[in-house]
Amino acid sequence: MTRSTAPLSSREIYLFDIFEVSVRLRTLRQDGERRKIQELPFQMLLILLEQPGKIVTKDELGRRLWGSDALIEVDDSLYVVAGKLREALGDRAVNPRFFKNIQGRGYQFIGDVTSSFEPYAIGNAVVEGSDNAGDVLGASSDVPSLSRARRFAFWSGLTFVGLIVFCAAMYKYVNRSLVSDQDRVVVGSFINSTGNPDLDGTLSSAVQLKLQESPYLSLVSDQKFRAKLKAVKQMTFEAELQTCSSLDAQVLLKGRILPKTQGYQISLSAWRCGTGGLLTTQEADATTQASILSAVDLATERMRRRLGEPEASLQKFNVPLMQATTASLAALKAFTLGEETRFDPNGGAIASYRLAIDLDPQFALAYARLGTAYYNTSHYALGMQYNKKAFDLRGRATDRERLYIITHYYEFATGETLLAIEDYERWRTIYPRDAVPLNNLANIYLTMGQPEKALPFALRVIQLDPTNEALYGNLAFAYLGLGEYAKVDGLCKDPVHTLRAPIYFRRVCFRAAAAEDDDAGMQRILESVRGNPQENLVVDDYAWVAMSRGQVAKARELFFHARQNAIEQGALDYSTSIQLDKVSIEADFGYLAYAAADLKVITTLETEDPAEQASAARAAAKTGNLVRAEYLAKAANARAPLNTIVNAALLAAARSEIHAQKRQYAAAIQSLEQTRPYDFCVAMDLSPGYYRGLAYIQAKKFEQAAAEFQRVIEHRAQADFPIYVILSELELAHTQELLGNRKAAEKGFQALKHLWENADSGFLPLSKLHAYENLHKTTSLVGSSSR
C-alpha cells in the first residue's frame, strides 16, 4: 500500500485501482469517466481515503457525516451509506476490493491508494509544470511553433468540449425521468421467490411506506388497489395492469425477492399500465436476512430517482426502513397482514397489529394503526392508549407517517381539533399530492359545522383521486350544508356514484331528500341499503324524520328496528348511539318518562365514548336525574379532558341543563355561551341555539331568545334533520307572542300546524302549540276589552 508524503491538507487527488477522486471538484471518475455518487457516500470515501489501512470508527464517521447532535441510528445509517458507496465503486460486502466493515468497530479502506496535487487547472490558470507565465491557453505569442501548438490545442479542446456535451446529453437521456409529475403510481404485488415462507407477504408494506415517503410521487391507495383487484378475482400480472388502468393510474410497480449464492436480491420493476411495457428495473443486494430492509431502502431509492424525484427530495425524505418501521421481519410481516384488513369495520386487523408490537415494542406505526382500529370499533380507551404510545414513539417513523401519527393523536386520542387541523395543514403542505390530509381536513371542517371551509378540500381531493367513491360523501355533505340541494341531487342521481356508493354517501343523499320532502327519494335509498351491514344507520335517520313530522309511534318502531339490526350485525356501539338518539329527542319533545326509561339501558352499558356520555348527561338532567347527570358529565370530562367538542359543546350543554333544572338561568345561559363557536357542529345538530333560547325565555329575556331561535332557523341547511329547527320555529312563534308581535306569532303557528297535519294524536309539541295559540287568543281578547 503506497502512501504519499504530501500533507493531507494539500492533497487534491486520490488514485486507486482505476478510480480518481478529486477533493476540490468533488468528483469520482472511473477510467476517466465521471461516476454518479451522492454526497454522503462521497464524504465517507474521502474520510476513509485520508487514513487508508486504518479503521475509522463508527463514532468518528457518524460525527463527521451528520454532526454530534444528529438524532439518527448511526449503525443503520452507515450501513445504508456504505451500500451506496459500494454501488458507486462496484464493490461488494463479501470479498471486498476497496473497503470493508470491521464488525462492531467501523470501516477500513484496504485498497492501494496514492495522492497528489491536482494535475490540471481550471479556466485560465497556469498548467502545472510550466516555467513560462505566457503558456496559458489563449495568451498571445510571436513564436510560430507555439502558434501551431495553440491551434492544435484549440481544436483538440473544442473536440473534447463537444465530446463532453455529447456525453452529458447521453447521460441526461439515459437518466431521464420515466414518468411525468402528473402520472399516478400503483404499488402491486411483491413476490417471494426464495422458498422461505417467512418472507411471504412481508415486504409489500415496506415498499409502500418508502414510496409514500416521497412528496414527489402520486400514489393510488394500496387498499383501494387490493379491493379492486380482489373484485376481479385474479392475481395475475395482466389483472394488475388492468386494475391499474381502471384506477386511472399510469405506472405499476412490482417487487420480487430472489435468492443468491450468498444472500438475496431485491428487484423493483416499473411497468406502463396501458401497454404493459417495462420502464425500468432497479435492484439491490442483501448479504444476510438482517440486511433485507436495507436493500429495500436502496432499491426504492433508485426507483424513486428513475421515476423523476429530485435529488434534494431524496436526500430529505429518505428515512431508513429499520428506523421508520422495525428491524424485525416477523413484526413487519404481522404489520403487513394488518394493512390488508386495515379498513375492516369489525376490527379484523387488530390481532395482526397487536402481534407486530408484541414482536417489536418500538414499532410506532403499528401502535398508531392499532389505536385507530380500536377507535373505529368503539374501544375508545384502548384507542387513546395506543395512539398515545405511537405519539411517544413518533420519532421512529418517516416524515409522512409521523404526520399521520400526530394528526390522529390530536384528532382521535385527545380530541384537540384545532391542533389536528394545524398539523393536517402542515401535512398537505409537505405532501401536496397526498389525498389523506385533504380528505381529513374536509371531514373535520364538516364535523365542526363549517361547510364553506370544507368544500375547497373536498373538491381538491377528488381532483387528485377521481375514481375513489369514498371521497364523494364529503363533497355531497359540503353542498348539503351550504344548502346547494341541486348539486347534491346531481351527485346522488349520477349512476357513477350510486352503483357501489359507501353508506356515508347514501346517508347524505337521504338527508338531502328529507330536506326537500322527497319521500320517493328517501324510499329509494332505504331500498338500496336493504341487507347492508350498516342498514341500521339509514333506518335511524328515517326515525329522526318521522319524529320531526310528529309520527312518534312510527319513529319508535324505526328506532327499535335500527337497534335490533345493529345488534344482529354485532355493532353494539351503533345500538347504543341509536338508543341515545331516541332518548335525546324524547326528552326535548317532552316525553320525559319514556326518555328516563330508555336512558337506563344506555347507562347500564356504561358506554366508553365520552361524547355519548356527555349527551347522556344532558338527557339525564332533562329527565330530572341530576345525580346521574353530574356523574356522567364528570366521567366524560375525565375520559376526554382536552377534547374540544366534548368539553366546549356537549358538556357545556349538559351543565346548562343541570343549571336550568336548578332554576339557575343566568348560569345556564353562561354555560351555553362557550358553545357558540361550535353551535353548528354535527354533534349538536343546531341544538345549542335552541337551548340558549329556552334559557333566555326562562330569564324573561324575550328579544335575546327570539334572536337565538332565528339564528337556528337561518342555518337549517346545516342540521342533519330539522328537529331543533322545528322546535325553534315553535318557540320563536311563542316568543313573538310574548313580545306582542301577534301577526308573526300567528304565521309561525299556522306553518307548524301544516307541517304536523299528519302527526299522531297527543303529539306533545303540537299540544304545546295549541296551548300557545290559546294563550294568544286569550291575550287578544283581553287586549280588545281593555280598549
Side-chain angles (χ1 to χ4, degrees):
M1 187 175 298
T2 305
R3 299 286 303 277
S4 170
T5 59
L8 289 177
S9 60
S10 66
R11 292 176 187 162
E12 295 284 344
I13 288 288
Y14 290 103
L15 303 171
F16 60 93
D17 199 67
I18 57 174
F19 291 94
E20 172 186 304
V21 178
S22 170
V23 177
R24 187 157 58 86
L25 299 181
R26 306 194 73 74
T27 57
L28 171 68
R29 296 183 182 276
Q30 180 181 10
D31 281 335
E33 294 191 7
R34 187 166 177 171
R35 293 279 296 174
K36 190 170 185 179
I37 185 171
Q38 291 179 312
E39 180 61 22
L40 285 176
F42 185 82
Q43 287 185 26
M44 183 175 182
L45 177 60
L46 290 181
I47 295 168
L48 295 177
L49 288 172
E50 286 178 3
Q51 307 175 62
K54 289 188 177 181
I55 298 172
V56 183
T57 67
K58 293 182 293 183
D59 288 344
E60 181 180 350
L61 283 167
R63 177 177 53 79
R64 293 185 63 180
L65 290 175
W66 294 287
S68 58
D69 297 329
L71 300 175
I72 63 168
E73 298 287 341
V74 172
D75 284 359
D76 295 341
S77 300
L78 280 177
Y79 185 89
V80 173
V81 173
K84 295 176 182 177
L85 178 55
R86 288 193 184 94
E87 177 189 357
L89 299 177
D91 204 4
R92 301 179 61 185
V94 180
N95 298 323
R97 296 167 56 205
F98 302 123
F99 74 97
K100 65 180 180 179
N101 179 11
I102 308 301
Q103 192 67 32
R105 299 177 63 189
Y107 289 81
Q108 176 187 27
F109 195 89
I110 58 175
D112 293 329
V113 59
T114 59
S115 58
S116 65
F117 295 108
E118 183 138 11
Y120 301 103
I122 303 299
N124 291 334
V126 177
V127 178
E128 182 183 345
S130 172
D131 293 325
N132 190 337
D135 288 345
V136 180
L137 292 179
S140 62
S141 174
D142 295 328
V143 183
S145 60
L146 289 179
S147 297
R148 288 193 297 272
R150 289 193 191 98
R151 286 196 297 272
F152 176 78
F154 172 78
W155 290 109
S156 297
L158 190 61
T159 303
F160 180 68
V161 170
L163 183 61
I164 290 175
V165 171
F166 173 77
C167 291
M170 287 299 295
Y171 177 84
K172 187 174 181 181
Y173 175 79
V174 170
N175 292 279
R176 71 195 185 284
S177 173
L178 296 174
V179 300
S180 77
D181 60 0
Q182 300 301 314
D183 284 346
R184 302 175 72 234
V185 179
V186 164
V187 180
S189 58
F190 199 103
I191 300 169
N192 173 22
S193 299
T194 66
N196 181 354
D198 292 340
L199 297 175
D200 288 339
T202 302
L203 301 179
S204 58
S205 62
V207 173
Q208 183 78 27
L209 289 170
K210 284 299 293 181
L211 294 171
Q212 283 177 340
E213 187 180 15
S214 165
Y216 178 83
L217 298 177
S218 178
L219 295 184
V220 174
S221 160
D222 55 327
Q223 287 83 14
K224 183 179 175 184
F225 175 72
R226 282 199 298 264
K228 197 129 186 174
L229 190 63
K230 186 177 180 181
V232 300
K233 299 179 180 179
Q234 293 186 59
M235 294 297 290
T236 63
F237 174 57
E238 290 75 15
E240 287 187 280
L241 286 174
Q242 290 172 6
T243 303
C244 178
S245 295
S246 72
L247 294 171
D248 289 338
Q250 289 72 43
V251 179
L252 171 68
L253 292 184
K254 287 176 61 64
R256 183 186 295 269
I257 180 169
L258 305 106
K260 296 188 69 176
T261 305
Q262 290 185 328
Y264 306 89
Q265 182 183 75
I266 300 296
S267 173
L268 291 179
S269 297
W271 308 79
R272 275 288 174 197
C273 298
T275 64
L278 178 64
L279 293 171
T280 184
T281 296
Q282 300 298 320
E283 299 171 343
D285 291 341
T287 55
T288 64
Q289 187 164 306
S291 61
I292 286 175
L293 290 180
S294 296
V296 174
D297 279 326
L298 290 172
T300 52
E301 180 184 325
R302 293 168 188 167
M303 180 59 75
R304 285 167 62 179
R305 185 177 288 109
R306 289 297 288 121
L307 293 179
E309 184 165 356
E311 202 66 31
S313 176
L314 279 163
Q315 291 288 344
K316 185 175 181 180
F317 301 99
N318 204 358
V319 179
L321 272 168
M322 285 190 288
Q323 176 184 332
T325 57
T326 174
S328 165
L329 287 175
L332 185 62
K333 181 172 183 176
F335 176 81
T336 303
L337 290 173
E339 292 289 271
E340 292 175 359
T341 54
R342 177 178 163 192
F343 294 104
D344 179 1
N346 297 317
I350 288 175
S352 297
Y353 290 138
R354 284 192 65 91
L355 178 58
I357 63 175
D358 285 343
L359 292 167
D360 181 1
Q362 301 299 306
F363 198 164
L365 187 55
Y367 280 108
R369 292 282 202 265
L370 182 58
T372 301
Y374 274 127
Y375 184 89
N376 289 341
T377 53
S378 300
H379 293 87
Y380 299 103
L382 287 171
M384 292 174 67
Q385 173 188 331
Y386 287 109
N387 271 309
K388 173 66 167 60
K389 183 65 175 178
F391 186 78
D392 292 341
L393 293 169
R394 62 191 181 279
R396 298 184 58 85
T398 66
D399 286 86
R400 180 191 183 275
E401 302 311 328
R402 190 177 302 117
L403 287 165
Y404 170 89
I405 289 169
I406 292 170
T407 52
H408 282 64
Y409 172 72
Y410 287 133
E411 184 176 3
F412 301 116
T414 68
E416 294 172 273
T417 306
L418 299 182
L419 290 178
I421 289 174
E422 183 180 318
D423 284 301
Y424 276 127
E425 287 284 2
R426 184 175 294 112
W427 184 348
R428 80 178 182 95
T429 300
I430 298 173
Y431 292 90
R433 303 169 194 275
D434 197 334
V436 173
L438 295 169
N439 189 57
N440 288 8
L441 278 168
N443 193 63
I444 285 183
Y445 281 125
L446 288 171
T447 301
M448 296 277 284
Q450 300 175 28
E452 71 285 354
K453 290 184 178 180
L455 182 60
F457 294 115
L459 289 169
R460 174 59 182 149
V461 76
I462 287 173
Q463 289 176 349
L464 288 177
D465 195 0
T467 64
N468 192 339
E469 291 298 323
L471 303 178
Y472 285 87
N474 277 343
L475 180 61
F477 199 1
Y479 283 140
L480 181 62
L482 293 169
E484 298 190 32
Y485 298 115
K487 290 183 178 179
V488 182
D489 288 344
L491 289 170
C492 293
K493 293 175 182 177
D494 186 339
V496 173
H497 304 309
T498 55
L499 291 175
R500 290 182 298 274
I503 200 76
Y504 172 46
F505 180 84
R506 299 189 204 193
R507 291 183 76 188
V508 175
C509 294
F510 183 87
R511 291 170 184 179
E516 297 182 283
D517 290 323
D518 180 5
D519 288 355
M522 288 192 290
Q523 287 300 323
R524 276 196 305 272
I525 295 162
L526 279 167
E527 288 300 320
S528 76
V529 300
R530 199 78 68 195
N532 188 298
Q534 294 179 303
E535 176 186 348
N536 55 83
L537 297 176
V538 181
V539 176
D540 179 53
D541 290 343
Y542 195 21
W544 278 70
V545 174
M547 283 294 269
S548 70
R549 294 176 174 179
Q551 298 164 352
V552 180
K554 180 178 181 180
R556 286 175 176 156
E557 182 181 351
L558 288 167
F559 278 130
F560 174 79
H561 285 302
R563 283 198 67 225
Q564 288 302 113
N565 179 267
I567 292 168
E568 289 168 7
Q569 297 296 330
L572 297 181
D573 53 317
Y574 288 158
S575 170
T576 302
S577 179
I578 292 164
Q579 183 78 349
L580 185 57
D581 284 348
K582 182 172 182 283
V583 168
S584 298
I585 299 173
E586 286 177 332
D588 285 327
F589 274 11
Y591 296 99
L592 300 182
Y594 281 98
D598 289 336
L599 187 60
K600 289 180 180 178
V601 177
I602 297 173
T603 53
T604 300
L605 292 173
E606 293 293 346
T607 174
E608 285 187 12
D609 186 351
E612 290 184 349
Q613 286 180 322
S615 296
R618 188 191 178 278
K622 187 73 176 177
T623 61
N625 191 344
L626 298 186
V627 173
R628 191 64 181 170
E630 289 175 343
Y631 168 80
L632 288 168
K634 288 179 182 177
N637 176 255
R639 182 157 280 166
L642 301 175
N643 189 295
T644 305
I645 301 299
V646 168
N647 288 280
L650 294 166
L651 280 178
R655 294 190 181 104
S656 173
E657 186 58 38
I658 291 171
H659 287 307
Q661 290 290 324
K662 296 177 180 179
R663 301 183 183 277
Q664 300 167 346
Y665 301 121
I669 293 170
Q670 186 175 358
S671 292
L672 283 168
E673 277 304 310
Q674 67 175 299
T675 74
R676 199 172 287 280
Y678 308 102
D679 273 0
F680 308 130
C681 73
V682 169
M684 302 305 292
D685 211 52
L686 298 188
S687 62
Y690 170 69
Y691 298 148
R692 205 179 293 119
L694 291 180
Y696 276 125
I697 289 177
Q698 295 293 339
K700 309 297 183 183
K701 296 181 178 181
F702 303 129
E703 288 185 357
Q704 291 95 322
E708 293 295 340
F709 295 134
Q710 185 62 42
R711 184 165 176 258
V712 172
I713 294 165
E714 288 171 354
H715 290 83
R716 68 167 59 241
Q718 290 183 244
D720 283 347
F721 298 101
I723 294 288
Y724 295 100
V725 175
I726 293 168
L727 290 176
S728 292
E729 288 174 338
L730 174 61
E731 294 301 334
L732 178 61
H734 176 217
T735 307
Q736 295 289 7
E737 176 63 35
L738 294 172
L739 288 168
N741 300 324
R742 296 192 181 100
K743 287 186 178 180
E746 182 61 30
K747 183 179 179 180
F749 291 143
Q750 291 302 319
L752 288 169
K753 285 166 70 174
H754 176 71
L755 174 67
W756 289 332
E757 61 185 357
N758 294 317
D760 294 352
S761 60
F763 177 51
L764 291 182
L766 184 58
S767 300
K768 184 184 282 189
L769 185 154
H770 292 319
Y772 289 160
E773 275 194 313
N774 290 334
L775 176 64
H776 167 73
K777 292 173 183 176
T778 302
T779 305
S780 298
L781 289 173
V782 170
S784 298
S785 62
S786 65
R787 287 193 294 272

